Amino acid sequence: MSMSKETATTIGIREELLRRFIESGERERLQEILRSKLQASGWQDRVKDRCQKFVNENSKDIDKITVDDMAEEVTPFARSSVPEDIKAEIMEDVRSFIYRALPETDA
């Protein structure tokens, strides 16, 4: 099964954008902003509480609980509880980076 030229081009652009995102330091900068905003919003405390609840509910089998078990249980809650304003701000920063990083076209 061959890949279309358009698909190959799209993959190439994505790879190049990711490379620039990492090499420019923008990814690390946005990760730090995200960490700070999540901490300030109380999100980290809520996720920590959810982890503690999971451990307490499974205390009889504590030796059998893995990090993967906890991640499977807590990740959906963690993702869904990120405040919308924080999601929107980070996404806008990512969009801005993409627009700045995309090559100019002669369309």
Side-chain angles (χ1 to χ4, degrees):
M1 192 166 168
S2 66
M3 187 182 315
S4 73
K5 182 178 178 183
E6 184 177 324
T7 302
T9 301
T10 300
I11 291 171
I13 291 170
R14 284 184 186 160
E15 289 173 351
E16 179 64 17
L17 281 171
L18 180 58
R19 184 187 66 75
R20 289 180 187 184
F21 192 60
I22 294 167
E23 289 179 0
S24 70
E26 187 69 1
R27 181 174 73 169
E28 184 62 34
R29 185 184 80 79
L30 291 179
Q31 285 175 332
E32 188 54 41
I33 290 169
L34 179 59
R35 278 186 210 102
S36 175
K37 289 184 176 296
L38 290 174
Q39 177 68 35
S41 75
W43 177 87
Q44 288 177 328
D45 293 331
R46 291 189 299 276
V47 172
K48 180 180 170 184
D49 290 345
R50 183 59 67 105
C51 290
Q52 188 62 52
K53 179 181 176 189
F54 176 76
V55 168
N56 291 341
E57 289 173 349
N58 294 281
S59 61
K60 291 181 182 177
D61 297 321
I62 196 72
D63 293 338
K64 297 177 185 173
I65 295 175
T66 66
V67 172
D68 289 339
D69 293 335
M70 186 178 295
E72 186 177 323
E73 176 69 25
V74 176
T75 297
F77 167 78
R79 287 184 177 157
S80 68
S81 64
V82 173
E84 290 300 320
D85 61 322
I86 294 174
K87 286 181 195 178
E89 183 177 336
I90 295 298
M91 287 306 299
E92 183 55 38
D93 288 345
V94 170
R95 278 188 206 95
S96 294
F97 173 82
I98 290 169
Y99 289 131
R100 289 190 313 269
L102 281 175
E104 295 292 322
T105 61
D106 297 328

